[in-house]
Amino acid sequence: MVLRAAEVLARLHRVAAAGLLVDGTGENDADPTAEPRRWLEVLLRLERDPGFEPELVARAREVGKALVRDVPAGWRGPAARRFPDQQRPLPRPVAGGSGGLGARPGRASALDVAWLALFGDPSAWAPEHQIGMRVVVEPERVVERYRQAGGAPLHGLGWCRALACFRFAVISLYNLRLHRTGKRDDPAWEGFASSVPYLLDAASSVRSTRSLE
């Protein structure tokens, strides 16, 4: 299923490359740090509750800061240079989803592939989570199938894989706190809690790699 999705994703990106899906601001003008900054803002909210997983929240913050700092060369456009290090007002965070499904090829394409590959990659999840995985597909196979299907170049894929891991780690922490505080009863997030350290480890290990690009 994941490999089939990689083929579909490649076709969507080809359509986007032809200019038939999205017509908006060019990627070169966008700030690639916008998303990690958005999740750092979520972590800031979690830090206001000192009793909620302080070590995991602090560790996630370090991973997010590293993503902002280590944006791949050539990705920092004018917006990123205006705000190189400090946080700034951000839109309300979304609950997750694709990195930019159907967007023009570039880093959005790499993030789409990274997000897809994450959920079949056993190395990003705790052992007890791995047992319940219905689909296990190594990231290398996902990337290979995407390329075979004529997908877009995957520049900065290591950074995008790290962002995907960081994104879901923060989503898990945010929803876990909602559950534990009774604001949203959803015990499923307790099951994801044990994987948060693994997701953060994976983010740190793949951030600067270029082996799949």
Side-chain angles (χ1 to χ4, degrees), residues 110-134:
L111 186 52
D112 281 345
V113 174
W115 186 245
L116 176 64
L118 170 61
F119 295 98
D121 180 7
S123 69
W125 306 95
E128 56 268 34
H129 192 105
Q130 294 177 22
I131 294 173
M133 292 177 70
R134 296 182 179 181

Side-chain angles (χ1 to χ4, degrees), residues 35-44 46-47 52-69 87 162-163 165-174 195-201 203-204 207:
E35 183 173 345
R37 288 175 184 276
R38 186 162 67 243
W39 296 117
L40 284 169
E41 182 72 13
V42 175
L43 291 172
L44 184 61
L46 298 181
E47 287 173 348
F52 175 74
E53 301 290 351
E55 293 184 2
L56 281 180
V57 172
R59 188 174 173 194
R61 174 163 292 281
E62 290 306 310
V63 171
K65 287 181 177 179
L67 282 165
V68 172
R69 182 185 66 239
Q87 290 186 10
L163 176 56
C165 293
F166 172 65
R167 175 200 280 172
F168 198 77
V170 179
I171 290 172
S172 297
L173 289 170
Y174 180 76
S195 284
V196 171
Y198 290 84
L199 287 162
L200 297 175
D201 280 347
S204 298
R207 188 178 72 246

Side-chain angles (χ1 to χ4, degrees), residues 12-179:
L12 280 172
H13 288 164
R14 287 203 305 273
V15 173
L20 301 179
L21 274 183
V22 177
D23 185 15
T25 303
E27 258 191 18
N28 291 336
D29 296 327
D31 180 0
T33 69
E35 183 173 345
R37 288 175 184 276
R38 186 162 67 243
W39 296 117
L40 284 169
E41 182 72 13
V42 175
L43 291 172
L44 184 61
R45 299 179 193 177
L46 298 181
E47 287 173 348
R48 294 169 186 160
D49 180 357
F52 175 74
E53 301 290 351
E55 293 184 2
L56 281 180
V57 172
R59 188 174 173 194
R61 174 163 292 281
E62 290 306 310
V63 171
K65 287 181 177 179
L67 282 165
V68 172
R69 182 185 66 239
D70 299 336
V71 170
W75 278 16
R76 283 190 177 271
R81 287 193 292 269
R82 284 198 298 272
F83 305 96
D85 298 306
Q86 302 301 316
Q87 290 186 10
R88 55 193 169 98
L90 298 165
R92 179 175 297 179
V94 296
S98 169
L101 187 61
R104 293 187 183 281
R107 61 176 172 269
S109 301
L111 186 52
D112 281 345
V113 174
W115 186 245
L116 176 64
L118 170 61
F119 295 98
D121 180 7
S123 69
W125 306 95
E128 56 268 34
H129 192 105
Q130 294 177 22
I131 294 173
M133 292 177 70
R134 296 182 179 181
V135 178
V136 175
V137 183
E138 298 299 327
E140 293 82 359
R141 292 182 61 201
V142 177
V143 172
E144 180 183 14
R145 182 64 61 87
Y146 176 82
R147 286 182 170 140
Q148 289 173 346
L154 299 176
H155 302 305
L157 181 60
W159 187 89
C160 288
R161 290 179 65 198
L163 176 56
C165 293
F166 172 65
R167 175 200 280 172
F168 198 77
V170 179
I171 290 172
S172 297
L173 289 170
Y174 180 76
N175 285 287
L176 180 61
R177 184 180 181 278
L178 289 179
H179 169 66

